Amino acid sequence: MRRRLVVATLALAAVFAALAAVDRAARLAPRGAPLDEAEARAALARLRRVAGGGGEGAPDALLARARPTILYATAWSGGRPTQRARGEGATLAAALDDAARRLGLPPSAVRYKLDLLVGEGPLPSLPEPLLAASLVPGRDGVAATRDGARADLLPDDLLADGLYARALQGAFARALAGADLELGADVSAIRRRLARALETARPPSLRRTRWDQWIEPATPGAPPLPVERGHLARTPARAHAPLVAAARLGGDYLLAHLHPDGRFDYEYYPDADQSPPTDEFAYSLPRHAGATLYLADLARATGDRRLLDGATRALAWLAAQHPPGTSAVAAPSERTLSLGATALASVAASAHQRAAAALGVPVDDALAAWATALARHLTAQQLPDGDFAHFYVLDTNGGGRRDEATHVLYASGEAALALAARARAVPAEAATLAPAVDRALTALITANDRTFATQFFFVEDHWTCIAAEAAWELLPSTTRARAARYCADFAAFLRRSQHHADDALGRADPDLVGAYGFTPLLAAHPTPVGSRTEALLATRAMAARLGHDTRALDAMIDDGLAFLLRHQLGDDALYWAPAPSAARGGVLLSDVGRRVRIDFVQHAGAALLRAAEEVWYSGRP
Amino acid sequence: MTSDRERAHPLLGVVALVSSVLALWVGLTVTPSRSSAFTVAFVAVEALSAAAGLGLVGAAITTRGRAGARTFARVAATAQLALAAIVVVLLALSAAWLRGIYGALGEGLAWAAIVAAALVVEALAIVPIVQLVVLRERRR
């Protein structure tokens, strides 16, 4: 017995020793302290002065203290790093002067960026898939040395070339349908680039680096800006004015990418200033409807006629997207009509009607008739248990049948919201629609009781909670209470996956606070932050009406809004984009997935607008 | 004379107690169910297992009531094993339903349910199986 105990203890000790060895092998060693704002301001000013030929000037006490420094100074112009130089020295000033002398005179108007080495550690020799998952996307750089020479790939380089993460493919990606996940750095490409920089044919061994990053603002004279993962690490205030301004910026982005025929640039790549063409199957009609909805809601909130006109144009294009013989929304050549596209089109049409009424603009008769037809299609798709058939299959005789067996994400929640929105837009139909809305919401909030497994988690219930709040006036008190409880549970579930300032990950990666996830190795996505924040705002509104405590919700909402504001593209953040005006107001898939899609902007904008209207607008500081 | 297996009983009791407390913490805070019926059954079974663990430890310390403590521990372990089996079956049924209804997304959820079932076996079934084996040996 005693012998077994000794063996077990030794085995346990061996495991802990192995863990400690792995931790030691992978841990970054500090290489310098990050700058504070005053130091960064002084450092960037000195860099600009010396690089511009203005001389080193008087020694600056902030930069003169002893601190062995490795840094890179980069001149950004036209969205490109036009000049870059490494500087090393015993003080920050010496390293800056070293880099500035190598940079030489800037060719045109530039923004200088400093990357200061603050951590470095080995990248252990691991099998490629493990090595690929060993870089924190957007945050880690990679270095290699050979015969005393050193080459670095900074986070900006890895972001620009998309080397941090590859989109998942194959069966795993299909199982995570629609999740837009990226995982695993392109280590082979990183090795090739570093080998080229070191002029060696042999693949160099790699080191992981961490950088403190500061850039000059787009507006000369403003304070320097900290950068993390390619976005600004500083969070604007969450007050009514900045929230409305950010929401408007999202609307301006959509207007800038709305074509005369009413179709959007579905995706835009800011680092290439390109919108790739999309065919009728790649262009998502539900997302087009969502973007239109956002323009209409923003028009109603701001009274801006430009936004209403944009929404009208986008809606008119959407109304033309249907196969012969039906008003339901689908690509004209499609034979299977999905509920979600028609539901979101209906929500957009209702929002447009309300916006037009608010601005005193008459709605075109054809659009009004189309909106009525959409609502009719949705009620015809409702099943006896309150849920909806998610597809309608057209036959060759002009008729069709409901497909009641196949379910997809979001569709039932979108349809419930569509009926509630229709009741708000056309009060004369409210009494008729109320029972259908009640049944739809009851089905939604009991759907997870159908199987054992789904009683432990929620999938994506943001539309459910947005619909419940929108339908509040139509619902009996029992359904209101159940819906509010369900959404409070949904919020509690979300809270467990949101990064908070007081948890370990929030302390290590403060720019991720407010995002949802469980590791910094998977890049955080702003779009779920937007949709969930909007749902949390709806949940908060219901809780407040029932007199419940909303403090936990407020904290989640505040963190989510801060994250969205940090991730909305503005001129200061777009140093890496050749055409900042085209990207302004956009929201990326993630820090490492540098593309803007219309629904990314819609979800983030809707959360910002709703927050401005419902929480901070009503007197909260 | 006390056999090795009998000397292992207090250790078994401690393991049962700790694993039940851990299971309760995970089940009530990390992955709580929205089903009241499941929560009640889960808490009852884990509380029974914890009490049985305490019983084994207590009997070893006081050297009284060892036979009763063993019987109680066997009953608790059987209940825990039955709960684990039911949970695994329900998760498997859920996986099948999700995969059938929700297409590609359901496939992902079904895999998650199967992984959860595997974790349930590890978290809820291994300790009671060891308990039953050790306690049954003693009975022979």
Side-chain angles (χ1 to χ4, degrees), chain A residues 35-49:
Chain A
L35 304 180
D36 62 25
E37 187 180 312
E39 290 171 326
R41 184 191 281 264
L44 284 163
R46 186 180 184 99
L47 175 66
R48 175 168 284 279
R49 190 172 65 242

Side-chain angles (χ1 to χ4, degrees), chain B residues 12-30:
Chain B
L12 208 58
V14 170
V15 170
L17 182 63
V18 170
S19 72
S20 295
V21 169
L22 269 176
L24 280 170
W25 176 71
V26 171
L28 296 179
T29 61
V30 181

